[in-house]
Amino acid sequence: MKTSVNGIPMLFLLLILLLRLIPKITSVNDTLTTTQSIKDGETMISADGSFELGFFSPSNPSKRYLGIWYKKTSNQTVVWVANREVPLINTSGVLEVIKPGLLVLRSYTNNIIIWSSNSSASVPNPVAQLLETGNLVVKDAHQDNPEMFLWQSFDYPTDTFLPGMKLGSNFATGLEVYISSWKSNEDPAPGEYTYYLDTNGYPQGFLKNGSVLVYRTGPWNGLEFSGIPSLRINPIFSYEFVINNTEIYYTYKQLTSTIIKFTLSPIGAGQCWIWENQSMNWLVYPCLSTDNCDRYGLCGEYGSCNIGNSATCGCLDKFSPKYPDKWANGDWSNGCIRRVSLDCRRGDGFVKYSGLKLPDTYNSSYNSSIYLEECRRVCLKNCSCTAYSSLDISIGGGESGCLLWFGDLIDMKVISDAGQDIYIRMASSESENFTPFLHGSDGKKGKLLVIILTLLLVMLLSALGFMFYLQRRKKKLPKQKKEEMPGQILNMAYTDNHHKKELDLPLFQLSRIIKATNNFSFDKKLGEGGFGPVYKGVLEEGQEVAVKRLSEYSKQGFVEFKNEVICIAKLQHRNLVKLLGYCIERKEKILIYEYMPNKSLDFFIFDQTRKKSLDWLTCFHIIQGVARGLLYLHQDSRLRIIHRDLKASNILLDADMNPKISDFGTARSFGGNETEANTSQVVGTHGYISPEYAVDGLFSIKSDVFSFGVILLEIVSGKRNRGFSHHGHNHNLIGHAWKLYKEGRAVEIVDCHLLGSPSYSLDVLRAIHVGLLCVQKCPEDRPNMSSVVFMLGNEGHLPEAKQPGFFTERYVVLNDKNSSNTPASSSSNGEITITLLEAR
Ligand SMILES: *[C@@H]1O[C@H](CO)[C@@H](O)[C@H](O)[C@H]1NC(C)=O
Ligand SMILES: *[C@@H]1O[C@H](CO)[C@@H](O)[C@H](O)[C@H]1NC(C)=O
Ligand SMILES: *[C@@H]1O[C@H](CO)[C@@H](O)[C@H](O)[C@H]1NC(C)=O
Ligand SMILES: *[C@@H]1O[C@H](CO)[C@@H](O)[C@H](O)[C@H]1NC(C)=O
Ligand SMILES: *[C@@H]1O[C@H](CO)[C@@H](O)[C@H](O)[C@H]1NC(C)=O
Ligand SMILES: *[C@@H]1O[C@H](CO)[C@@H](O)[C@H](O)[C@H]1NC(C)=O
Ligand SMILES: *[C@@H]1O[C@H](CO)[C@@H](O)[C@H](O)[C@H]1NC(C)=O
Ligand SMILES: *[C@@H]1O[C@H](CO)[C@@H](O)[C@H](O)[C@H]1NC(C)=O
Ligand SMILES: *[C@@H]1O[C@H](CO)[C@@H](O)[C@H](O)[C@H]1NC(C)=O
Ligand SMILES: *[C@@H]1O[C@H](CO)[C@@H](O)[C@H](O)[C@H]1NC(C)=O
C-alpha cells in the first residue's frame, strides 16, 4: 500500500520537473522578462501560436534580422522587422528587456546595441509580450491596458498593415503611423514607397514614391475611401475610420478566422493577402486600385479620367482644355479651365457632377455637424470655396456633413455608379441658378421645364457632336486605309487618337501571321470559336501561338473586337489566357494568344479515355483555378468584368493543366459598385446560361457564378449539363445533382473514375455542395466568387442549397428573332451559342 501511494507523487514531481525544464531549453513563452533573453535560434510564440518572434535572414544568411512572422502559414512570411537598416552580421544577436522599460537588441560578443525601442516612460517591472495580433509590446508585467503600453511594434510597422493596427496620426503623442515598402524582397530596409494617411484638409490615403505623390485613395466617405469603392462589399474584413481632435486613423479587423494582411510591395503595389488553408498558399490580389486612371493628377485640374475610354482624359462638363493643342496630343497635365469664369461678387452657383472619385482634399475643410443644404450656403459665402460635397454618404440620406474645397480641383476619375456627387462652383450663367424656374414657387413645373430644356440641349449638342465627328472622319479617311472603322464611335466622347498609345500591346503584321499559320492552312486549324476559326501558329522565333481569326461575317464587329483586345490586354492573371498581340490589316481582325497544348476542359472531361488522366486533385486544381480567374474578373478594381459566356470549352488548359479562362468577346465591363445590368442582347450558351439572364436579359456577376456552378458539376460528374439524360426523370444534370443531394446521395453523381482516384476525398462532396449553391435559382442566393473561393479552400459550415434554376431540360423557348443575321450563332462542337437580338 505504502509504495503505491508514494509512487504517484514521485511521478508527478518528475513530470513537473520535466515541464519546467522544457521551456528553459527551447524558448520563453509569449512573455520576455528582464531576467530572460532571446538568442539567435530561439523564438517567442504568441499565446495561441499565431505569431512567432525570432531571428531570420531573407536571403543572405550572414545578414540576420529580428522579426515577427506567422507561425501557422507554411512559408515564413515576415510581418515586422526590428533592425530594418542594420542587420547583424552573425548569429550573435540577443534580445532583452531592460529597466525602466526598453527593448534592446545587441550583439553579445561585443555588446554593441544594434537596435532598441524608445520610450521615455518607466515602469517598475517591465516585460515584453508578443500578442496574438502580432503586436510586440513593452508594458508593466501587471498592466494589460493598451493605453498603458510603453511601446508597441504596431506603432512602427514595416511593409505590413495587420488587422488592428491604426494607420494615421495621434496629435496628443505626435505619433504618425505609416507603412513603408522593403527595398527589395531580400532587403527589409525602407524602400522607395510609403503609404500613409495625409491629415491636411480632410484625410485621405497617399502613396508616395520618394517624395512624389503617385496615388491617392480619395477621402473617406463613411463607407470607404472615395477612390476604392470595390472594397465595400467584403465578407472577410471590415474597416473603421476614426477622426476627432486627438486622433485620425484608419483600421480594419477580420470577420473570420482567415489569416489576412495588407502589404506594400517593393515596387509600390498595395496588396491584400488571404491565406488559404486548403492549398497552403497565399491568395494575393491588388487592393489599392492602381489602373492608369489612378496616376495622381494625370488629367490636370478639372480633368477627369475614364478607364472605360482606354484611360483617356476628358474635361468636366462646362470646362475645356487649357491648351487645346497640347491636350489633343495627349499632354493632359495642364488640365482644363472654365468656359465662363467665376464672378463672385455678381453671384455664382453650383453644378452637380456625379459618379466621380472626389478630387484631392489637401486644400479642404470640413464640418460634420451640418447638412448638405447648409454646406452650399457656407461655400457660396466664401469666394475661394470652389466646390462642396457631403462628408458621410452612409447616413442622413447621403447628405450628411460638409466638405469644402478651396482652390483648383485635381485628380478626379470616373467611377460610374459607385462614384460620388460633387457640386462645383460655376458662373451664374453656367449653373442651375440661372434657370429662373428653380427659384419659382412652383417647383415641379420648374423642374419639368428644366428637364425639357436639358433634353433639347443634349439633343442639340449630340447633333453638333455627330456633325463634328462626321467632318473629322471625312478629313481623316484619305490618310488611313479606306476601311470602315466603326470602333471609332466608341471613343467619340473622348479624344480618340490616344487609345492606340494606351493599348500597350504588340501589333503584328499580317504577313508574319500568314507565315506562322502557313497561310491559315486547314491542318493548322485548332477549332472553331464563336467568332471564327482558331489556328495554331509558330512564330519565327519558334514560339507557339494560337491565332484567332475573326470571320469576316462575324457578328463580332470591330467594337467587340476592340472590346476584347482592350479587355484582355488589361487583365493579367495566371488563370486567364494571355493575349500576346493583335492584327488589324485589310479585312482581317486577328488576335494572337499564348498556345494551350492541352486544349480545353471539355476535350478532357467529356472524353471517356482522356478523363481518366484527370485525378481528383487535378480536377480540384482546375475548379479552384477557374474560381480564382473569375474572382479576378469580378473583383479586380481596375475593370470589373462579367464574362457572360463561361463554359467548359472556354476553359483552356496549359501544359501543366492550369486552367485559363478565354473568350472575352462578349464580356462586359461594369462600374465599381454596379453588379447588374440589363441588355437587349443575350449572349451565352445553352446549358450554362442562368435563368434571369436567358429570360429577362438581366446579367450580373451572379450569372457567371451560375455558369461556374454548371462547369463545376460537369467536372465532378464528367457529363454535360445539356443533353444529360437519366431514365428516372427528365431533369438535366443540375436537376439530377440537386435530387441526389436532397436525398443525401450526392456522391452518386461523381464520375466513377474519380471515385477510384486515390486522392478522392470528402472534398468532392463539398465541391458538389458549392456547385449547387452557385446554380440556385435566385441570383441573390448564389454566393459571390470570393465566397466560392473561400468555401472551396476552407472547411466550415456551408448553407443549405436551395432549388436550382433551369433544372429541367425544357426550360425556355429561346426565340432567335433574326436568326438569318446571326451566322455566328453556331459552333463546331455541338454547342449552341445563343445570340438573342431584339428586333430593331
Ligand atoms: C510565461 O512566463 C511568465 C514568466 O516566466 C509567467 O509569468 C507566465 O505565467 C507564463 N505564461 C504562460 C502562459 O505560461
Ligand atoms: C514557399 O516556399 C517554397 C520553398 O521555398 C516555394 O517553392 C514556394 O513558392 C513558396 N510559396 C510562396 C507562396 O511563397
Ligand atoms: C560577430 O560580429 C561582431 C562584429 O559585429 C564581432 O565582433 C564578433 O566577434 C562576431 N561574433 C562571432 C561569434 O563571430
Ligand atoms: C522613436 O524612434 C523613432 C524612429 O526610430 C522616432 O521617429 C521617434 O521620434 C522616437 N520617439 C521617441 C519618444 O524618442
Ligand atoms: C520612383 O521614383 C524613382 C526615383 O525617382 C524612379 O526611378 C522610379 O521610376 C519611380 N517609380 C515609378 C513606378 O514611378
Ligand atoms: C477619438 O476617438 C477614439 C476612438 O473612438 C476615442 O477612443 C477617443 O476618446 C476620441 N477622442 C476624443 C477627444 O474624442
Ligand atoms: C486553418 O488552419 C489552422 C491550423 O491548421 C486552423 O487553426 C484554422 O482554424 C484554420 N482556419 C480555417 C478558416 O479553417
Ligand atoms: C493647395 O493650395 C496651395 C496654395 O494655394 C497650392 O499651391 C497647392 O497646389 C494646392 N494643392 C492642391 C492639392 O490643390
Ligand atoms: C460647423 O457648423 C456649425 C453650424 O454652422 C457651426 O456652429 C460650427 O462652428 C461649425 N464647426 C466648425 C468646426 O467649423
Ligand atoms: C474662406 O475660407 C478660407 C479657408 O477656410 C479662409 O482662409 C478665408 O478666410 C475664408 N474667407 C472668408 C471671406 O471667409
Side-chain angles (χ1 to χ4, degrees):
M1 281 270 295
K2 236 184 174 185
T3 46
S4 68
V5 170
N6 267 349
I8 293 165
M10 277 294 281
L11 261 172
F12 265 110
L13 212 72
L14 255 169
L15 240 143
I16 287 166
L17 264 173
L18 266 172
L19 280 177
R20 287 196 137 208
L21 275 173
I22 291 164
K24 274 195 183 154
I25 298 161
T26 56
S27 69
V28 292
N29 56 23
D30 69 335
T31 306
L32 180 69
T33 65
T34 44
T35 57
Q36 298 168 311
S37 68
I38 297 175
K39 296 195 185 69
D40 199 330
E42 299 175 342
T43 63
M44 177 153 115
I45 294 168
S46 65
D48 284 339
S50 290
F51 289 92
E52 186 167 19
L53 175 143
F55 292 84
F56 73 101
S57 299
S59 60
N60 185 347
S62 70
K63 285 186 176 171
R64 304 292 291 168
Y65 296 91
L66 177 75
I68 298 174
W69 54 84
Y70 291 105
K71 176 90 177 124
K72 287 180 179 170
T73 68
S74 60
N75 281 21
Q76 193 177 57
T77 313
V78 175
V79 298
W80 183 76
V81 184
N83 50 328
R84 290 184 82 170
E85 285 169 276
V86 196
L88 287 144
I89 56 161
N90 54 29
T91 55
S92 66
V94 54
L95 180 73
E96 290 160 334
V97 187
I98 58 170
K99 284 186 177 171
L102 287 181
L103 202 53
V104 174
L105 173 64
R106 62 180 177 89
S107 166
Y108 66 78
T109 42
N110 57 10
N111 264 336
I112 290 175
I113 292 182
I114 303 289
W115 172 89
S116 98
S117 72
N118 56 2
S119 71
S120 39
S122 63
V123 288
N125 195 4
V127 293
Q129 190 179 7
L130 181 60
L131 305 181
E132 259 300 286
T133 52
N135 193 5
L136 176 66
V137 303
V138 180
K139 55 166 200 166
D140 187 71
H142 308 294
Q143 181 59 260
D144 277 322
N145 181 356
E147 305 283 311
M148 303 295 283
F149 292 160
L150 300 185
W151 181 90
Q152 56 178 337
S153 64
F154 269 22
D155 285 344
Y156 304 94
T158 55
D159 68 338
T160 306
F161 181 33
L162 286 172
M165 267 186 189
K166 295 175 175 179
L167 193 76
S169 294
N170 186 324
F171 303 118
T173 60
L175 185 75
E176 190 192 348
V177 179
Y178 63 93
I179 58 178
S180 60
S181 65
W182 283 24
K183 249 203 177 85
S184 70
N185 285 330
E186 290 77 40
D187 186 357
E192 290 290 327
Y193 291 90
T194 49
Y195 178 67
Y196 65 100
L197 208 59
D198 185 272
T199 51
N200 290 294
Y202 194 60
Q204 42 189 355
F206 276 180
L207 176 65
K208 274 192 175 170
N209 176 3
S211 59
V212 181
L213 177 53
V214 291
Y215 169 75
R216 188 180 66 90
T217 61
W220 184 261
N221 63 19
L223 292 172
E224 71 238 328
F225 288 110
S226 154
I228 327 180
S230 54
L231 293 184
R232 188 188 302 181
I233 326 153
N234 190 315
I236 301 175
F237 38 108
S238 71
Y239 314 87
E240 193 189 356
F241 185 76
V242 169
I243 175 164
N244 59 30
N245 290 336
T246 46
E247 51 189 344
I248 297 181
Y249 65 83
Y250 164 62
T251 185
Y252 71 109
K253 63 169 187 267
Q254 50 202 109
L255 300 174
T256 65
S257 66
T258 314
I259 299 173
I260 51 173
K261 62 170 185 158
F262 170 84
T263 65
L264 186 60
S265 82
I267 56 161
Q271 296 171 321
C272 285
W273 300 60
I274 297 177
W275 177 254
E276 290 185 307
N277 260 9
Q278 194 104 26
S279 64
M280 297 292 276
N281 223 328
W282 289 99
L283 178 69
V284 188
Y285 60 92
C287 61
L288 288 186
S289 84
T290 43
D291 59 40
N292 288 334
C293 274
D294 277 310
R295 291 216 302 277
Y296 180 78
L298 177 71
C299 298
E301 288 150 4
Y302 302 105
S304 120
C305 186
N306 191 336
I307 193 77
N309 287 315
S310 309
T312 48
C313 291
C315 285
L316 291 180
D317 188 24
K318 298 182 198 294
F319 288 82
S320 49
K322 192 169 183 187
Y323 302 116
D325 291 346
K326 285 190 183 175
W327 186 272
N329 286 324
D331 175 2
W332 302 305
S333 56
N334 293 296
C336 307
I337 48 168
R338 288 187 163 75
R339 295 203 187 128
V340 182
S341 39
L342 295 175
D343 187 348
C344 190
R345 276 170 307 164
R346 280 175 47 203
D348 297 321
F350 292 94
V351 170
K352 175 178 174 177
Y353 293 84
S354 298
L356 290 176
K357 168 178 174 180
L358 294 178
D360 195 346
T361 52
Y362 189 89
N363 294 321
S364 72
S365 73
Y366 60 95
N367 187 335
S368 51
S369 54
I370 58 178
Y371 278 77
L372 202 58
E373 204 39 53
E374 173 78 20
C375 190
R376 178 195 183 91
R377 278 194 285 277
V378 175
C379 188
L380 203 56
K381 259 191 252 165
N382 186 329
C383 287
S384 48
C385 175
T386 44
Y388 71 92
S389 80
S390 62
L391 198 59
D392 191 336
I393 60 168
S394 70
I395 50 173
E399 305 204 333
S400 170
C402 176
L403 182 52
L404 302 167
W405 278 265
F406 301 94
D408 290 325
L409 307 178
I410 195 167
D411 197 36
M412 281 166 277
K413 153 184 179 184
V414 174
I415 307 180
S416 46
D417 270 34
Q420 272 171 266
D421 296 341
I422 178 169
Y423 301 81
I424 300 180
R425 192 185 201 101
M426 285 290 162
S428 53
S429 62
E430 292 273 43
S431 70
E432 55 202 345
N433 268 6
F434 181 64
T435 325
F437 310 107
L438 265 188
H439 288 307
S441 52
D442 197 352
K444 266 192 187 162
K445 239 188 208 164
K447 267 187 191 155
L448 200 72
L449 265 167
V450 172
I451 291 170
I452 292 170
L453 280 178
T454 318
L455 273 178
L456 279 175
L457 197 75
V458 167
M459 276 158 72
L460 192 78
L461 279 179
S462 19
L464 276 176
F466 192 63
M467 270 158 66
F468 176 65
Y469 161 71
L470 282 180
Q471 228 173 4
R472 278 186 60 158
R473 221 176 68 160
K474 257 190 211 151
K475 271 192 211 152
K476 260 192 181 170
L477 270 182
K479 272 188 239 159
Q480 291 179 350
K481 290 199 183 97
K482 282 202 183 99
E483 230 176 281
E484 278 269 304
M485 298 283 249
Q488 281 177 350
I489 296 167
L490 261 189
N491 275 342
M492 205 174 93
Y494 274 71
T495 45
D496 62 351
N497 35 351
H498 304 299
H499 75 270
K500 287 213 185 82
K501 240 186 273 166
E502 293 290 332
L503 204 64
D504 202 8
L505 197 72
L507 183 67
F508 280 65
Q509 279 179 338
L510 185 58
S511 57
R512 201 169 157 211
I513 294 170
I514 288 179
K515 206 167 147 202
T517 57
N518 202 0
N519 197 11
F520 302 107
S521 90
F522 186 75
D523 58 323
K524 295 273 182 187
K525 195 161 151 180
L526 293 169
E528 189 89 21
F531 300 109
V534 182
Y535 299 87
K536 180 177 175 181
V538 184
L539 300 179
E540 309 89 79
E541 324 73 92
Q543 188 186 3
E544 291 184 319
V545 294
V547 175
K548 180 165 154 187
R549 185 189 197 187
L550 279 90
S551 106
E552 203 179 307
Y553 309 100
S554 142
K555 256 270 172 284
Q556 180 171 19
F558 192 88
V559 176
E560 285 93 345
F561 178 70
K562 236 190 81 183
N563 191 6
E564 177 156 10
V565 175
I566 293 175
C567 213
I568 309 180
K570 290 209 183 101
L571 299 169
Q572 298 232 336
H573 187 270
R574 62 183 165 195
N575 296 116
L576 300 186
V577 70
K578 195 165 158 206
L579 186 64
L580 303 174
Y582 69 109
C583 166
I584 312 178
E585 217 171 306
R586 290 183 230 147
K587 285 195 170 162
E588 299 285 355
K589 296 184 291 260
I590 293 169
L591 294 173
I592 298 102
Y593 292 99
E594 58 180 329
Y595 175 67
M596 294 286 140
N598 276 323
K599 304 206 171 149
S600 53
L601 185 57
D602 59 334
F603 181 72
F604 274 91
I605 58 174
F606 302 137
D607 183 279
Q608 289 313 319
T609 37
R610 278 191 288 265
K611 70 163 66 160
K612 298 217 169 70
S613 65
L614 297 183
D615 61 4
W616 170 242
L617 277 186
T618 314
C619 285
F620 192 63
H621 174 73
I622 293 170
I623 292 171
Q624 280 193 313
V626 176
R628 283 197 197 124
L630 206 51
L631 171 67
Y632 174 84
L633 285 180
H634 287 177
Q635 295 203 337
D636 173 65
S637 47
R638 298 180 189 221
L639 282 170
R640 308 184 74 202
I641 304 277
I642 304 177
H643 186 286
R644 300 209 296 171
D645 194 14
L646 205 63
K647 54 186 169 187
S649 60
N650 276 345
I651 311 293
L652 307 184
L653 298 168
D654 74 3
D656 301 322
M657 298 304 276
N658 292 309
K660 310 223 173 198
I661 301 175
S662 75
D663 230 332
F664 294 81
T666 54
R668 280 274 180 106
S669 172
F670 59 105
N673 196 33
E674 178 191 0
T675 48
E676 194 175 84
N678 208 321
T679 178
S680 60
Q681 186 180 357
V682 174
V683 195
T685 299
H686 204 46
Y688 294 94
I689 196 168
S690 63
E692 74 279 6
Y693 182 30
V695 178
D696 303 323
L698 215 56
F699 73 86
S700 69
I701 51 172
K702 297 295 182 68
S703 327
D704 278 354
V705 172
F706 185 94
S707 310
F708 170 79
V710 174
I711 293 174
L712 194 163
L713 293 173
E714 288 186 335
I715 294 176
V716 173
S717 66
K719 297 191 180 68
R720 286 183 199 276
N721 182 33
R722 184 168 171 273
F724 174 86
S725 67
H726 190 268
H727 51 262
H729 53 72
N730 57 7
H731 292 172
N732 60 13
L733 175 64
I734 302 180
H736 183 57
W738 159 253
K739 191 167 174 288
L740 291 175
Y741 162 83
K742 288 298 275 182
E743 293 164 8
R745 304 189 292 153
V747 70
E748 289 177 30
I749 80 152
V750 180
D751 198 340
C752 7
H753 90 272
L754 286 182
L755 284 173
S757 163
S759 53
Y760 163 80
S761 72
L762 279 179
D763 293 344
V764 178
L765 289 180
R766 192 171 169 86
I768 296 171
H769 194 152
V770 172
L772 284 168
L773 288 173
C774 292
V775 297
Q776 291 176 106
K777 188 166 172 205
C778 292
E780 309 82 67
D781 289 337
R782 294 174 212 150
N784 59 22
M785 286 315 294
S786 57
S787 309
V788 170
V789 167
F790 182 74
M791 291 189 293
L792 287 172
N794 294 279
E795 274 129 50
H797 175 73
L798 294 181
E800 185 82 355
K802 296 187 193 154
Q803 177 177 317
F806 279 171
F807 64 100
T808 60
E809 178 63 359
R810 291 170 298 274
Y811 43 77
V812 62
V813 183
L814 288 165
N815 196 354
D816 203 341
K817 281 178 191 153
N818 40 0
S819 51
S820 57
N821 280 343
T822 54
S825 64
S826 68
S827 84
S828 65
N829 41 14
E831 288 175 353
I832 309 294
T833 296
I834 307 152
T835 309
L836 281 181
L837 284 167
E838 293 276 292
R840 290 192 193 157

